[in-house]
Amino acid sequence: MITLNEHFLQLQKNYLFADIAQKVAAYKEAHPEADLIRLGIGDVTRPLAPAVIKALHEAVDEMASADTFRGYGPEHGYEFLRQAIVAGDFAPRGVQLDADEIFINDGAKSDTGNFGDILGTDCTICVTDPIYPVYIDSNVMGGRAGEFANGAWSRVTYCPCTEQNDFIPALPAQPADMIYLCYPNNPTGTTLCREELEKWVAYALEHGSLLLYDAAYEAYISRPDVPHSIYEIEGAKRCAVEFHSFSKTAGFTGLRCGYTVVPKQLTVRAKSGEEVQLNQLWNRRQCTKFNGTAYIVQRAAAAIYTPEGRTQVKETIDYYMTNASLMREKLTQMGLKVYGGIDAPYIWFKAPDDMGSWDYFEHLLHDFHIVSTPGVGFGPAGEGYIRLTAFGTRENTLAALERLK
Ligand SMILES: *Cc1c(COP(=O)(O)O)cnc(C)c1O
């Protein structure tokens, strides 16, 4: 008889954004005249860069001719894109990688969620709290999270990031095998400096842990002393994989492309005693379960690394970061203590008067017609906080700030 992967039944209610969408839809139905401004979900609003559009058109034309048509591509991505990534994202920062340490994918959500496929189901998990929900939920599905009680999973170590520690997580108090770090951080918009990242790399090397480093917002870093890649830290190639995405970098949320770095130096000891390269194992996994992301989309991604592409992508990032600094400025003037928005397109602040996250979310929705994201949706330490995104249009961002004044 067919049975279920019962771990899926352990998942806690809805996915955060589904909850929000439901509440917003219900409000909209009751108040069809309300002009809602959506600063909730982290989706971009600016169109793709002209260089990306040009590359897409050219690639489509290639598909129209028998001479240049492409069918299945390499599972781990085309060489032209992997080379462009190595040369564009890593070499300038003094990080030497081989193209076969880069795995092109259809976005970072897939690989942050799938990477556990090649790791032991007995591994313990560590996350900073609040955090992108995919890290925990994918491990619940994989049977690693333990039992859920009092708002937390028994086999997950939570490292709180709050005003009290200036959003700098302490190292885990219990041994942790798989450690998820996301910097610049979604949802708090904060970063870690080099010395802090060095502590995590040292911890991972000492305890034999794996860092799963999500650098989806790396392109938004503005301060010169904030590392863009965990591999800028000595020793990280022996203890870290890194996830990148073109979604936030270049507006690819609808196109779907990103990449995962799995250094060849990174090995894990099998029960037999053999040192196994994660690079080989991940390659094997991808070749079996993934057939590559679309050729035309990989051509579009490669266009980001051309001089025009770079300039255009930078302009869009500057547009969002101008939103972020306007939000920081105006919300601070209103007396709120505001975090993030300097190296990441998220603004994070504490709801006034000790209001809970969901109460404040409802207040913003009902009284100002602004859709936000309740901080507690990202984990217990997010309670009492609110996230706003800087991915809105300038017009909507200014209109929202005007309403809040
Ligand atoms: C948006 C986001 C991603 C990227 O997701 P894609 O699947 O590439 O669109 C990854 N990690 C975090 C933390 C994000 O916020």
Side-chain angles (χ1 to χ4, degrees):
M1 195 176 70
I2 185 76
T3 61
L4 296 169
N5 174 348
E6 299 269 332
H7 296 302
F8 276 70
L9 307 182
Q10 286 183 286
L11 288 165
Q12 296 304 296
K13 49 180 177 117
N14 275 340
Y15 188 54
L16 170 65
F17 291 102
D19 269 359
I20 294 173
Q22 215 172 15
K23 283 189 196 285
V24 171
Y27 185 79
K28 190 80 191 159
E29 195 171 303
H31 306 87
E33 75 299 341
D35 176 21
L36 297 181
I37 298 180
R38 292 166 198 273
L39 301 178
I41 191 165
D43 198 359
V44 296
T45 53
R46 304 298 297 160
L48 293 164
V52 168
I53 295 295
K54 180 162 168 282
L56 278 170
H57 280 302
E58 287 170 3
V60 168
D61 286 341
E62 285 183 65
M63 291 303 218
S65 158
D67 296 341
T68 48
F69 168 78
R70 312 268 184 142
Y72 286 127
E75 289 90 347
H76 42 263
Y78 282 98
E79 189 75 11
F80 65 80
L81 179 54
R82 301 198 293 155
Q83 293 288 2
I85 289 167
V86 166
D89 288 348
F90 295 98
R93 305 194 187 284
V95 176
Q96 304 306 320
L97 289 172
D98 290 340
D100 57 0
E101 295 176 301
I102 308 285
F103 294 83
I104 309 300
N105 58 31
D106 61 356
K109 185 191 257 187
S110 314
D111 280 6
T112 50
N114 288 332
F115 206 82
D117 269 19
I118 64 167
L119 303 172
T121 49
D122 51 352
C123 291
T124 53
I125 311 296
C126 171
V127 293
T128 59
D129 172 26
I131 200 65
Y132 185 54
V134 174
Y135 311 146
I136 293 184
D137 283 0
S138 60
N139 279 298
V140 173
M141 294 171 180
R144 289 193 191 88
E147 303 301 323
F148 191 76
N150 305 321
W153 292 92
S154 60
R155 298 187 76 248
V156 177
T157 301
Y158 296 78
C159 300
C161 298
T162 62
E163 284 181 343
Q164 281 72 41
N165 59 12
D166 206 17
F167 301 92
I168 298 172
L171 293 170
Q174 300 104 274
D177 303 319
M178 294 164 64
I179 301 174
Y180 290 86
L181 295 178
C182 173
Y183 287 100
N185 188 257
N186 175 12
T188 66
T190 60
T191 51
L192 289 186
C193 66
R194 179 174 299 275
E195 294 72 53
E196 288 300 325
L197 290 176
E198 280 169 359
K199 288 185 199 166
W200 287 89
V201 169
Y203 177 94
L205 290 172
E206 186 190 334
H207 293 83
S209 318
L210 177 69
L211 299 180
L212 297 110
Y213 196 80
D214 187 342
Y217 296 94
E218 160 276 316
Y220 288 82
I221 293 172
S222 68
R223 281 182 284 208
D225 57 333
V226 177
H228 287 243
S229 164
I230 192 69
Y231 304 117
E232 291 179 49
I233 310 297
E234 184 68 38
K237 280 188 185 173
R238 289 182 283 120
C239 64
V241 294
E242 185 166 279
F243 305 100
H244 285 250
S245 169
F246 298 114
S247 286
K248 319 302 165 35
T249 303
F252 274 49
T253 52
L255 273 190
R256 311 304 306 142
C257 194
Y259 65 91
T260 297
V261 185
V262 189
K264 285 181 278 192
Q265 287 180 32
L266 181 55
T267 62
V268 173
R269 183 162 305 145
K271 292 219 167 78
S272 66
E274 182 196 355
E275 286 290 334
V276 176
Q277 271 191 342
L278 287 192
N279 181 288
Q280 272 184 12
L281 219 55
W282 184 244
N283 190 42
R284 187 70 177 83
R285 189 268 176 208
Q286 289 299 79
C287 289
T288 301
K289 291 197 181 182
F290 186 60
N291 245 341
T293 195
Y295 171 71
I296 60 174
V297 172
Q298 293 189 59
R299 279 291 177 201
I304 298 166
Y305 295 95
T306 61
E308 316 79 77
R310 271 180 192 287
T311 309
Q312 293 161 3
V313 162
K314 174 83 172 48
E315 277 165 14
T316 302
I317 289 173
D318 289 346
Y319 175 96
Y320 294 134
M321 290 312 281
T322 301
N323 286 348
S325 70
L326 286 166
M327 291 161 93
R328 275 185 67 88
E329 182 190 317
K330 304 272 192 250
L331 294 172
T332 305
Q333 279 168 12
M334 291 172 212
L336 293 165
K337 191 116 180 42
V338 177
Y339 301 91
I342 295 172
D343 299 301
Y346 293 116
I347 300 288
W348 183 252
F349 63 91
K350 193 129 199 209
D353 307 324
D354 286 328
M355 260 169 115
S357 290
W358 278 111
D359 286 343
Y360 197 71
F361 165 87
E362 304 263 359
H363 171 59
L364 288 179
L365 178 63
H366 295 184
D367 300 330
F368 299 99
H369 298 165
I370 294 171
V371 182
S372 62
T373 310
V376 69
F378 298 100
E383 179 55 289
Y385 291 89
I386 287 287
R387 189 192 78 174
L388 293 178
T389 93
F391 284 134
T393 61
R394 179 68 40 77
E395 200 184 0
N396 277 347
T397 304
L398 288 172
L401 292 168
E402 194 57 35
R403 287 181 192 180
L404 288 171
K405 220 155 73 180

